């Protein structure tokens, strides 16, 4: 089984794997191109997002500087607004429900590095999905950690660290 397949199944994987490295580089090229676009370049932005992210619904607007790890584990439903500086380290599935507003400088981190220092030095990681419901408002500078589910209509206050 490849490290990508392990990552997709939520198993322990080697973050230093060459294939994963190449996938991250491909994602960086796409999000960097996206971040260089202007607001009126809507067609180019949409095309780049559809190449980068697994599913992009209608009416999605992501402000630059957006960054992600792979993109292919992110699903964004209709009418979602993501403000400046969002980082999604999508080593596990990240689903963002319809009509969700995400404030500036939000980090969504499904990844967990090994707690043991020797394992961490060898690149041992695992990820758990993050699910964000519909009609959610996530304030600025929120951090959402591995395995979190946020229910419909929730409001997460600015500066919060969401651990469960």
């Amino acid at each position: 089984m490849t490290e990508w397949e392990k990552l997709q199944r939520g198993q322990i994987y080697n973050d230093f794997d060459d294939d994963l490295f190449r996938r991250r580089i491909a994602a960086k090229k796409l999000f960097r191109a996206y971040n260089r676009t202007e607001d009126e370049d809507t067609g180019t932005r949409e095309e780049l997002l559809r190449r980068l992210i697994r599913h992009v619904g209608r009416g999605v607007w992501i402000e630059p500087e957006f960054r992600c790890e792979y993109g292919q584990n992110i699903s964004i439903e209709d009418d979602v607004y993501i403000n400046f500086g969002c980082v999604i380290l999508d080593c596990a599935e990240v689903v963002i429900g319809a009509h969700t507003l995400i404030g500036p400088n939000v980090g969504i981190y499904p990844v967990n590095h090994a707690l043991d220092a020797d394992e961490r030095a060898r690149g041992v990681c695992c990820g758990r999905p993050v699910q964000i419901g519909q009609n959610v408002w996530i304030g600025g500078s929120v951090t959402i950690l591995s395995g979190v589910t946020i229910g419909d209509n929730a409001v997460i206050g600015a500066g919060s660290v969401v651990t469960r």
Side-chain angles (χ1 to χ4, degrees), residues 29-71:
K29 288 179 182 178
L30 290 169
F31 75 64
R32 286 176 179 154
Y34 180 88
N35 289 334
R36 286 190 302 267
T37 63
E38 297 295 331
D39 288 346
E40 57 273 5
D41 297 336
T42 55
T44 301
R45 279 188 171 182
E46 185 173 330
E47 186 226 331
L48 288 166
L49 280 182
R50 294 196 185 287
R51 288 176 50 203
L52 176 61
I53 295 174
R54 179 176 59 206
H55 171 76
V56 180
R58 291 176 288 102
V60 170
W61 187 267
I62 301 176
E63 299 285 2
E65 289 284 318
F66 172 74
R67 292 171 285 167
C68 63
E69 190 163 14
Y70 301 105

Side-chain angles (χ1 to χ4, degrees), residues 2 14 16 23 32 35 39 43 46 54 69 75 93 101-102 107 112 114 117-118 128-130 135 141 144 152 155:
T2 68
N14 178 357
F16 299 150
R23 289 172 185 267
R32 286 176 179 154
N35 289 334
D39 288 346
E46 185 173 330
R54 179 176 59 206
E69 190 163 14
S75 294
E93 181 180 57
L101 304 174
I102 297 179
N112 270 329
D118 292 332
R128 293 177 29 231
V130 170
N135 302 306
S141 299
I144 302 169
D152 293 346
V155 175

Side-chain angles (χ1 to χ4, degrees), residues 78-109:
D78 296 342
D79 301 314
V80 169
Y81 176 78
I82 299 175
N83 213 323
F84 302 101
C86 182
V87 175
I88 303 175
L89 300 183
D90 60 306
C91 68
E93 181 180 57
V94 174
V95 176
I96 301 171
H99 310 287
T100 290
L101 304 174
I102 297 179
N105 301 312
V106 168
I108 303 173
Y109 308 134

